[in-house]
Amino acid sequence: MRLKAILFDKDGTFVDFHATWGPALDQAMRTLAGGDEAALERLAYTNRFDLATRRLRPTSPFIAEATADFARRWAAALGRDADAAFHREMDRLLDAGALANATPLGAPERVFPILRRAGYRLGVITNDTEAGARNQCARLALSDHLEAIVGYDSGHGRKPAPGQILHVARLFGLAPQEIAMVGDTLHDMAAARAAGVVSIAVTSGFAGREELAPHADHVIDGIGALPGLLGLQSSG
């Protein structure tokens, strides 16, 4: 591969979805429900979230979507208006919960430096908020390795559309074929294909190899296998 940059999805790719978002989502829903158990149950159903185990089911729309996608369903479950103020409240609660519970996945603290030393430029493309992503990357001591962090609210659209990826291509001054997108969902793969970049799927999220393979150029178990795929020594 003649690549010069690698862009990463965040959750399920280098951030542990269950450990980070299970407690974050549980607390956000309980706060918004305000003690109304029926409303909490409706929110849990909307998110395909198991309140007993605090884990999302693989069919949850929360896994790949942004607040802009699912806020209307949350508002309906709570009997509220899905206005800008509600969006901000959701993002604030979710960002705070995710930051408090941010847990790495696949040892990004080892993988990212290997890629940087090999000359790759790195960025994050997420359907999380930009501020939330920046804060989580800082908490995990990854910020110094990243040249760009783009969220759903950064002004370049959201996955599965290609706008976020194309923005970073312009920012880096690179052609799409010089960039790879690494992610764990079909949204990631669709965005990569639409942008014309190399698509690398990881099976560290909710989707398995069988689901991802038809939509990806490469499928690996997790980001720990990325140096090998690129012909690098994993030891750095």
Side-chain angles (χ1 to χ4, degrees):
M1 298 182 199
R2 296 182 178 179
L3 298 174
K4 295 182 179 179
I6 302 173
L7 308 182
F8 293 87
D9 167 60
K10 180 170 63 69
D11 303 309
T13 300
F14 68 87
V15 168
D16 188 309
F17 213 114
H18 287 304
T20 302
W21 287 102
L25 185 54
D26 183 77
Q27 185 58 54
M29 291 191 303
R30 291 182 186 279
T31 299
L32 289 169
D36 185 335
E37 289 299 319
L40 178 61
E41 290 288 346
R42 290 194 298 271
L43 279 174
Y45 177 79
T46 293
N47 288 295
R48 306 297 187 266
F49 184 81
D50 189 324
L51 290 167
T53 62
R54 297 204 304 181
R55 290 173 72 92
L56 288 160
R57 297 183 176 89
T59 55
S60 173
F62 185 84
I63 294 166
E65 291 184 348
T67 305
D69 298 307
F70 56 73
R72 188 173 300 277
R73 295 193 296 272
W74 282 44
L78 294 166
R80 293 181 57 176
D81 292 327
D83 54 17
F86 183 65
H87 280 224
R88 289 193 297 270
E89 184 178 6
M90 287 178 62
D91 281 339
R92 178 180 58 79
L93 290 170
L94 291 168
D95 284 354
L99 181 60
N101 295 281
T103 304
L105 177 68
E109 73 282 359
R110 294 201 299 269
V111 175
F112 285 14
I114 292 171
L115 300 175
R116 289 292 288 160
R117 286 195 293 270
Y120 292 103
R121 304 175 72 176
L122 307 181
V124 172
I125 303 292
T126 178
N127 276 354
D128 193 2
T129 66
E130 179 179 329
R134 288 188 180 278
N135 289 336
Q136 289 169 49
C137 288
R139 174 66 58 87
L140 299 177
L142 302 174
S143 300
D144 288 347
H145 306 300
L146 300 166
E147 291 187 54
I149 298 176
V150 182
Y152 90 89
D153 57 350
S154 299
H156 308 288
R158 57 189 182 273
K159 297 175 289 185
Q164 294 167 301
I165 298 174
L166 294 174
H167 164 68
V168 177
R170 291 190 295 269
L171 185 67
F172 286 3
L174 298 176
Q177 60 268 27
E178 297 176 302
I179 299 171
M181 175 72 203
V182 182
D184 68 307
T185 71
L186 293 180
H187 271 35
D188 298 320
M189 298 302 100
R193 285 288 173 89
V197 303
V198 175
S199 53
I200 302 175
V202 290
T203 58
S204 51
F206 289 84
R209 182 176 295 267
E210 195 171 283
E211 181 179 357
L212 293 167
H215 308 280
D217 295 312
H218 305 274
V219 183
I220 54 178
D221 293 336
I223 62 168
L226 192 54
L229 179 67
L230 298 169
L232 307 175
Q233 293 295 322
S234 61
S235 62

